[in-house]
Amino acid sequence: MDKFLIGPFTKGLNRDIVPFLLPEDAFTRLTNMRIYQNRIIRKPAFTLLNDADPYGLKSRLKVLIGTTDAVTGNFPINPIVVGAVGAIGQQFSVGNAIFTVTQVNGAMDVTNGGGATGTFNTVTTGLSIIGATPNTSVYWYPCTPVRGFAYYEENEQEYAFDNQWAYGYTPEGWVALTPLADARWNSGIYDRFISTSYRGDFTSEATLFVANGTDPVKYYNNTVVDFTNFQPNTINPATSANYHVVSAKIVKRFENRLFLLNTVEDEGVTNNVAHSNRIRWSAAGDALNADAWYQPPGRQNRGSFADLSKGERITACEELNGRLVVFTENHIYEIIPTGNANSPFDIQEVSGSVGTFTSSVVQVNNSIIFVSPYGIHMYDGKNTIRIDDDLSNAFDNGIISFYNSSIWHHKTFNTVYISYSPAFGNEVQTAMLAYNYKNNTWSLFESVCTNFGDLFHNPAGVRYFSKSIIAGNQVGYVREFNSSVYKNGISQNIIRMNNFDAAHVDLTLYNHNLADGDVIRIENCDIAGINGGYLVEIIDVNTIRIESVINVAAYHGDAAILRVDRIDIRTKEFNPYLSKGYGVSLSKITFNVDRNDNNSSYSVIAFPNGSAVENDTLVSYPGSRLLETQAYDLINTVEATQVRIWHDVFLPSKSESISIGISMDNELIVDDAIPFQSLSINAMVLHTEPTMEF
Amino acid sequence: MSTLANIKDKVRKLTKNYSVTQLSDANLLSYINDFYLYDFPQIVETSDLRKNISFSTTPYVDTYSTTAGDFIYNLKDFKDFVIVTDQPVYLSGTQIQLFQDPAEFYQVYSSTKRQGTFGTGDGATTNFTGTLPPYILHNSVLIGGLNANGEALIAKDSPNVDAYGREASTGVMRDNDNDNIGNINYVTGAVDITFDVAPGNGNVVTYEYYQFNPTTPDGILLFDNKLTLRPVPDKVYEVKLQVRIQPTAFVNDADTPLIKQWWQFIAYGTAKKILEDRSDLETVNRIMPEYDRQKIMVMRKTRLNKSKDRTSTIFTHSQNVTDTWYYYG
């Protein structure tokens, strides 16, 4: 019997080479796992921001619309907010009581209401709550997609945005800023909120600027204490009226100046002139000064602008090595400081073959990683190279695509996350590539989010030692990337439950973005027996079906779902005797894994020659082919003290080449505990013998 | 310390199948019983597996099946349960000769069938009755003729069997399609047959069967999972055989081997089977020394006991007391 050690793991996902020629530690599938410190570990979970908030009320965007009556607990209001748009699926909360809108106009389902009732008219947004807790804040949850995040460094305050409002992060959660009418945006599904904290010459001028490409740029500081439109004059109005910036797609701080890129401007008698290739900058120092943006020849040494020569739309920018790198759809430019007050910047084209269609650029270790229509690239200030060669086959074949992508840098993990929508027209990103730039490995995460941001404070308002990554989703949830947990937090409320037949239940979840075969858990429901894990069957974009015999007629809006991460690892096709022309007979695999005190099991299956069918050379396996990470009872006194353990999985197989799949079968994945345990595969040993020649 | 549970633990440790996910308890028990029931008795010829089994004869019945019947419980699954039948057989205390070759047996107990005419066909009559002279050997009666087309009409006897597997004194007559076409009484000789098609006009319907003289059997044939006595017994006798049997299968974790000392050897033997199935010959080689040592220890008791026995010859038990010289063989 020959033994072959596979490890340490230095390669990740690779779809570029035929599987039997891959390096030994490469994978054709690495889903919801990643390569970290030369071992395979689980993808971190997205958890609620507050562990003590099981319904996620403090992890969702919400609008404070008033306070219940101090005596009766009633709350009538019409409309809830001027300009608000009502919809089925939205919710209200009064303390712990939750009211769910399930119809266009009528009674709402109530959870923890203590006898309270409520009605809501989605057309007029008229609300009436009767008998709730007196003198208690009433919150409205619009359940709209999270469109961006910002961080105001001066106050150390995080903000989130949906298509209408800005929300500040407080111990109560993400609460819309007031007055509501003023903090209003009208962003579209592809608009990104890009922000920059700009500190001018003086501390008092520290300001947060936010742009989304549709609305006017807005700014916020301790003087205005509200997001205020920023439409600076580009020419002194005394000399020429109506010359100002209407909006910009990108706002950026660079060289002590504020930059607005891809602008729309009023130019005298002509309004809303689009300059998608324009870079405009302010004077050095205070960008809020009235003349900070006056351009030559009317005013020298103040603001100015430049239009990129190719006329392409500016899509993104990032600072690198003292230069501002500007991306268009197919080009890359550098804005180079000259030190000349009259002509402060030079513009050079540095790449004429690749750019980006999205705002997906991020600076990583003196390079910029960006997503182009042709792949994922890195620009180091001199050269642009493609870094997704390992995935190029999948990219070229359209298996991976980059419509509407977001990119974010997780410095602690040396990882860049690139989330994307597999289909054009969908604002929700349902897949994510994780690129570990330290070991140059790729893996694939399944997640549903709209964009990323940073979180600097815990729920009590105490600053984190290092910032945490957060992601918003399509129904207003904001969850945190938690590397020590593997169970996702709830991500969407169930609007309705119906018994489809004796063995199936339909769940209404607006815009769920799930797929057939996904696994969810139902939580928080007080109908006995319904909480738990289920495989999903898609009925339509708003409805899924699960197998259950529970009668759900009494459902009243208290349940939510979380997505269960399905591990899917598929190794290369092994044959140590390939060069000699022999097939391979596999007797067993010995895995080295981190020991886990909680029982965790994974199915290990052998696939011959790339087949999707399991190789079973015997009538039946004598065991169940499970990899267990808990110490065996029989030798517990030995294993229970070990940090890492070696466990055998017997799966006799024989073929020209054999790939190994590690996953959780349908029985394991719906367990209450097994899918949420840690897993670290440190090495594998294949026990093989050569078989007959090909 | 010698229970099935201990055997399982030891097997798991030897094969490193510590978890039921690697080797289920059901499969492990199957491996243990495979070794214990089928391999162990063939590997070790221990006297502890020798046993006397007996059954009673039925008057006028010569053949006894070993595959059916509760009353001949000890004969049930004889072919699997009994490993060796190399010792003398006794009939009511008298040793009788054991044959395992039918040619040899029937050469000693040869017989010719009695033949005769049962009736004559008229082309229309299908029912024929008659009385055959006693004693009629079971499963030997053949009555037949030709129909009008010259095709054979055949009826053979098939003894009735009760719920305990015993052959009765009556039987049915079956045609070539195994359909019931009549009855026979082996004691009175009465036969009643109704053919599907009438024998042709003038065609003779003949019979043949083995007629026997019932008396005390002095020979027994073990062949085709049946025990056949000759001569045919005239009454009830006890037949006793000394055989080497298969052990009893393990079922519960508290079960122990027939001899508790065997438990380790059973564990090693089972482990060897599992490792061979996994093609892990390296580990097989590692456990073989201890496997062999345990085998020797299992056989030690039998060998020590047998070492006290004198080698058996024709003189082993002879004694001459007619002279002043006493000879002891």
Side-chain angles (χ1 to χ4, degrees):
Chain A
M1 183 80 63
D2 299 320
K3 300 177 180 59
F4 297 93
L5 173 67
I6 310 297
F9 296 103
T10 60
K11 308 285 188 297
L13 187 63
N14 190 319
R15 305 290 295 272
D16 194 46
I17 305 174
V18 285
F20 69 93
L21 292 176
L22 283 172
E24 300 294 312
D25 56 343
F27 299 88
T28 58
R29 290 190 207 170
L30 193 61
T31 304
N32 293 325
M33 300 292 290
R34 59 194 176 107
I35 305 297
Y36 183 71
Q37 295 179 342
N38 299 128
R39 51 202 176 103
I40 312 169
I41 63 174
R42 286 196 67 164
K43 157 196 166 288
F46 281 105
T47 59
L48 297 177
L49 303 183
N50 191 326
D51 291 338
D53 173 32
Y55 292 97
L57 300 181
K58 297 182 181 179
S59 297
R60 302 166 62 183
L61 305 187
K62 59 188 179 185
V63 182
L64 176 63
I65 59 176
T67 306
T68 56
D69 183 89
V71 175
T72 63
N74 295 345
F75 184 74
I77 188 170
N78 190 355
I80 49 174
V81 176
V82 173
V85 177
I88 293 173
Q90 292 175 346
Q91 291 184 310
F92 298 88
S93 71
V94 179
N96 291 328
I98 302 173
F99 301 81
T100 303
V101 179
T102 60
Q103 53 186 324
V104 171
N105 180 12
M108 296 185 286
D109 282 349
V110 185
T111 299
N112 302 327
T117 60
T119 61
F120 183 65
N121 185 326
T122 62
V123 177
T124 66
T125 72
L127 171 72
S128 174
I129 291 176
I130 306 293
T133 306
N135 201 27
T136 304
S137 297
V138 181
Y139 289 100
W140 170 49
Y141 300 82
C143 296
T144 48
V146 179
R147 300 209 187 280
F149 296 95
Y151 179 64
Y152 182 39
E153 293 174 0
E154 184 71 13
N155 286 354
E156 295 189 346
Q157 175 67 59
E158 298 92 339
Y159 295 99
F161 304 89
D162 64 9
N163 61 322
Q164 287 190 292
W165 291 292
Y167 301 79
Y169 184 56
T170 71
E172 279 305 307
W174 300 86
V175 183
L177 300 183
T178 55
L180 295 172
D182 292 335
R184 172 123 347 142
W185 273 269
N186 295 285
S187 63
I189 65 171
Y190 293 117
D191 289 340
R192 291 295 169 79
F193 282 80
I194 297 175
S195 63
T196 191
S197 280
Y198 178 74
R199 184 181 299 276
D201 288 339
F202 304 103
T203 305
S204 61
E205 297 165 355
T207 301
L208 175 67
F209 289 86
V210 180
N212 68 1
T214 298
D215 297 295
V217 174
K218 296 181 192 288
Y219 71 96
Y220 179 99
N221 59 25
N222 289 326
T223 303
V224 296
V225 294
D226 192 6
F227 279 95
T228 303
N229 287 348
F230 179 67
Q231 296 177 303
N233 292 313
T234 57
I235 295 177
N236 190 333
T239 58
S240 297
N242 199 40
Y243 276 85
H244 58 262
V245 176
V246 175
S247 68
K249 183 177 175 61
I250 301 167
V251 59
K252 183 70 178 176
R253 176 188 66 204
F254 178 63
E255 285 291 301
N256 201 29
R257 297 170 190 260
L258 189 66
F259 278 69
L260 301 176
L261 297 93
N262 190 338
T263 61
V264 174
E265 302 181 11
D266 284 345
E267 298 174 345
V269 297
T270 308
N271 290 337
N272 298 318
V273 179
H275 296 285
S276 60
N277 62 333
R278 176 160 293 182
I279 305 170
R280 185 175 283 281
W281 56 86
S282 72
D286 187 359
L288 294 176
N289 281 340
D291 64 349
W293 296 84
Y294 290 172
Q295 66 195 35
R299 184 67 187 271
Q300 296 292 338
N301 302 328
R302 303 304 291 163
S304 187
F305 69 93
D307 291 337
L308 297 177
S309 57
K310 293 294 190 298
E312 285 184 344
R313 180 173 65 98
I314 295 173
T315 53
C317 71
E318 186 58 73
E319 187 174 344
L320 180 68
N321 299 332
R323 301 179 178 189
L324 186 65
V325 181
V326 176
F327 294 82
T328 65
E329 292 163 347
N330 290 297
H331 292 81
I332 304 176
Y333 299 86
E334 282 190 343
I335 312 300
I336 306 167
T338 63
N340 183 329
N342 288 327
S343 181
F345 301 106
D346 268 346
I347 299 177
Q348 287 185 6
E349 178 182 324
V350 295
S351 172
S353 60
V354 68
T356 179
F357 274 62
T358 72
S359 304
S360 300
V361 301
V362 68
Q363 188 193 103
V364 175
N365 290 353
N366 298 323
S367 299
I368 294 175
I369 294 177
F370 63 97
V371 179
S372 83
Y374 315 108
I376 303 169
H377 293 78
M378 178 184 288
Y379 174 66
D380 62 2
K382 291 180 184 174
N383 302 303
T384 304
I385 58 172
R386 191 169 174 178
I387 61 172
D388 64 340
D389 287 331
D390 287 351
L391 309 176
S392 59
N393 190 43
F395 192 92
D396 294 341
N397 290 337
I399 296 173
I400 301 174
S401 60
F402 293 95
Y403 299 113
N404 192 25
S405 65
S406 297
I407 193 167
W408 208 254
H409 180 203
H410 194 165
K411 199 166 184 180
T412 309
F413 287 171
N414 301 311
T415 301
V416 170
Y417 302 113
I418 302 141
S419 67
Y420 57 94
S421 305
F424 181 74
N426 189 349
E427 64 178 319
V428 182
Q429 295 143 25
T430 57
M432 185 192 304
L433 287 170
Y435 174 61
N436 186 319
Y437 51 83
K438 185 175 179 183
N439 58 30
N440 193 30
T441 60
W442 292 89
S443 56
L444 185 67
F445 293 171
E446 292 173 334
S447 69
V448 177
C449 67
T450 50
N451 43 50
F452 295 100
D454 291 324
L455 189 68
F456 294 84
H457 299 87
N458 68 13
V462 177
R463 188 179 171 92
Y464 283 129
F465 179 72
S466 60
K467 63 185 179 180
S468 180
I469 290 185
I470 52 177
N473 76 358
Q474 76 278 20
V475 288
Y477 277 77
V478 177
R479 296 177 303 161
E480 186 177 6
F481 221 13
N482 192 330
S483 62
S484 59
V485 173
Y486 307 101
K487 181 179 181 180
N488 291 316
I490 58 172
S491 58
Q492 189 165 9
N493 288 84
I494 301 173
I495 300 169
R496 282 191 290 268
M497 286 191 190
N498 302 99
N499 288 100
F500 173 72
D501 58 26
H504 297 87
V505 172
D506 283 357
L507 308 179
T508 302
L509 299 149
Y510 276 19
N511 196 21
H512 53 71
N513 281 275
L514 296 170
D516 279 324
D518 281 351
V519 182
I520 61 163
R521 280 190 67 82
I522 296 177
E523 304 239 315
N524 299 335
C525 189
D526 60 7
I527 297 176
I530 196 67
N531 289 327
Y534 300 94
L535 289 169
V536 165
E537 178 192 350
I538 304 301
I539 305 302
D540 58 41
V541 295
N542 299 319
T543 311
I544 64 173
R545 184 166 293 158
I546 61 173
E547 282 190 19
S548 175
V549 300
I550 302 295
N551 186 331
V552 294
Y555 180 64
H556 55 88
D558 54 345
I561 64 162
L562 63 90
R563 187 171 181 169
V564 179
D565 291 332
R566 287 202 87 148
I567 293 169
D568 187 7
I569 301 171
R570 187 72 66 87
T571 67
K572 68 160 284 182
E573 294 173 11
F574 292 113
N575 181 354
Y577 315 104
L578 188 64
S579 60
K580 295 181 172 59
Y582 291 108
V584 59
S585 171
L586 175 68
S587 169
K588 68 177 181 181
I589 303 176
T590 306
F591 289 90
N592 182 279
V593 294
D594 281 4
R595 186 181 59 81
N596 194 327
D597 283 331
N598 302 310
N599 188 25
S600 181
S601 304
Y602 305 88
S603 301
V604 182
I605 298 176
F607 296 95
N609 294 336
S611 168
V613 177
E614 178 180 359
N615 179 289
D616 183 350
T617 60
L618 305 177
V619 174
S620 63
Y621 290 113
S624 57
R625 298 177 282 94
L626 289 182
L627 169 62
E628 294 177 299
T629 58
Q630 191 180 29
Y632 290 136
D633 287 340
L634 204 56
I635 49 174
N636 189 277
T637 52
V638 174
E639 286 200 327
T641 61
Q642 294 173 205
V643 174
R644 286 172 293 279
I645 51 180
W646 289 96
H647 276 182
D648 292 334
V649 176
F650 298 92
L651 59 170
S653 311
K654 196 179 295 185
S655 183
E656 284 82 13
S657 64
I658 300 171
S659 65
I660 306 301
I662 304 168
S663 63
M664 286 185 179
D665 62 24
N666 289 343
E667 194 175 319
L668 294 172
I669 197 69
V670 297
D671 186 85
D672 290 340
I674 288 176
F676 311 117
Q677 307 306 319
S678 65
L679 173 63
S680 174
I681 301 175
N682 308 311
M684 303 188 294
V685 175
L686 308 181
H687 299 252
T688 63
E689 286 178 328
T691 62
M692 289 178 62
E693 295 182 54
F694 294 161
Chain B
M1 68 175 76
S2 56
T3 63
L4 174 62
N6 297 125
I7 296 172
K8 286 179 177 178
D9 275 0
K10 193 165 188 70
V11 172
R12 286 194 179 279
K13 287 174 181 172
L14 288 172
T15 60
K16 294 183 184 169
N17 283 250
Y18 303 114
S19 167
V20 294
T21 60
Q22 296 170 311
L23 179 64
S24 66
D25 261 358
N27 275 311
L28 175 57
L29 182 61
S30 175
Y31 270 112
I32 291 172
N33 279 325
D34 279 349
F35 177 79
Y36 187 45
L37 299 181
Y38 306 123
D39 294 9
F40 179 90
Q42 302 289 356
I43 294 171
V44 290
E45 290 188 28
T46 168
S47 56
D48 298 302
L49 289 178
R50 289 200 170 273
K51 183 187 168 102
N52 284 326
I53 61 172
S54 62
F55 68 96
S56 300
T57 62
T58 301
Y60 314 133
V61 174
D62 69 325
T63 301
Y64 300 85
S65 169
T66 64
T67 58
D70 285 346
F71 102 103
I72 38 176
Y73 176 75
N74 289 338
L75 294 185
K76 188 178 177 184
D77 291 329
F78 187 92
K79 67 181 185 310
D80 292 320
F81 190 62
V82 174
I83 308 302
V84 174
T85 51
D86 58 352
Q87 298 294 314
V89 181
Y90 293 89
L91 184 105
S92 295
T94 302
Q95 183 176 346
I96 63 174
Q97 190 168 0
L98 171 65
F99 294 83
Q100 301 201 50
D101 179 2
E104 190 180 335
F105 181 73
Y106 289 113
Q107 187 172 20
V108 174
Y109 299 101
S110 62
S111 179
T112 305
K113 277 192 169 181
R114 181 179 180 135
Q115 298 173 327
T117 300
F118 196 67
T120 304
D122 61 9
T125 304
T126 57
N127 178 255
F128 290 81
T129 60
T131 302
L132 301 177
Y135 294 89
I136 303 168
L137 190 68
H138 293 197
N139 291 302
S140 73
V141 179
L142 180 67
I143 298 176
L146 295 173
N147 64 15
N149 295 329
E151 296 161 340
L153 301 169
I154 294 173
K156 294 182 183 177
D157 74 305
S158 174
N160 292 325
V161 177
D162 67 11
Y164 300 103
R166 292 174 295 194
E167 290 187 354
S169 59
T170 59
V172 298
M173 300 300 292
R174 297 188 182 277
D175 64 10
N176 262 0
D177 295 329
N178 208 34
D179 293 327
N180 183 343
I181 62 170
N183 302 296
I184 182 169
N185 186 312
Y186 293 103
V187 176
T188 64
V191 179
D192 185 341
I193 302 173
T194 301
F195 292 107
D196 287 343
V197 177
N201 187 23
N203 288 341
V204 177
V205 177
T206 63
Y207 69 82
E208 65 175 40
Y209 66 97
Y210 284 114
Q211 193 179 32
F212 62 88
N213 287 324
T215 184
T216 306
D218 58 19
I220 185 167
L221 169 67
L222 171 58
F223 181 74
D224 193 23
N225 297 315
K226 295 184 180 65
L227 292 162
T228 305
L229 291 161
R230 287 288 187 274
V232 178
D234 57 341
K235 58 185 175 122
V236 176
Y237 296 94
E238 184 197 38
V239 180
K240 188 181 288 185
L241 307 91
Q242 189 189 108
V243 296
R244 203 146 51 87
I245 60 166
Q246 196 184 66
T248 305
F250 291 110
V251 176
N252 301 309
D253 278 355
D255 291 347
T256 57
L258 181 66
I259 303 297
K260 292 179 181 177
Q261 181 238 346
W262 295 349
W263 81 274
Q264 293 187 83
F265 178 59
I266 294 169
Y268 273 93
T270 304
K272 179 170 170 291
K273 292 180 81 66
I274 293 170
L275 293 166
E276 284 166 349
D277 278 356
R278 297 205 192 279
S279 300
D280 188 358
L281 300 180
E282 195 176 313
T283 308
V284 170
N285 289 336
R286 276 210 295 270
I287 69 172
M288 280 310 291
E290 182 62 19
Y291 169 90
D292 289 334
R293 194 174 80 91
Q294 289 293 334
K295 185 170 92 172
I296 291 171
M297 289 199 291
V298 166
M299 281 304 301
R300 180 159 292 157
K301 177 175 135 183
T302 300
R303 288 193 180 134
L304 284 175
N305 287 341
K306 276 195 168 297
S307 70
K308 303 296 187 290
D309 286 347
R310 176 178 170 175
T311 302
S312 214
T313 69
I314 61 173
F315 304 105
T316 303
H317 301 294
S318 65
Q319 184 178 350
N320 184 350
V321 297
T322 60
D323 203 340
T324 53
W325 292 94
Y326 294 87
Y327 297 94
Y328 295 89

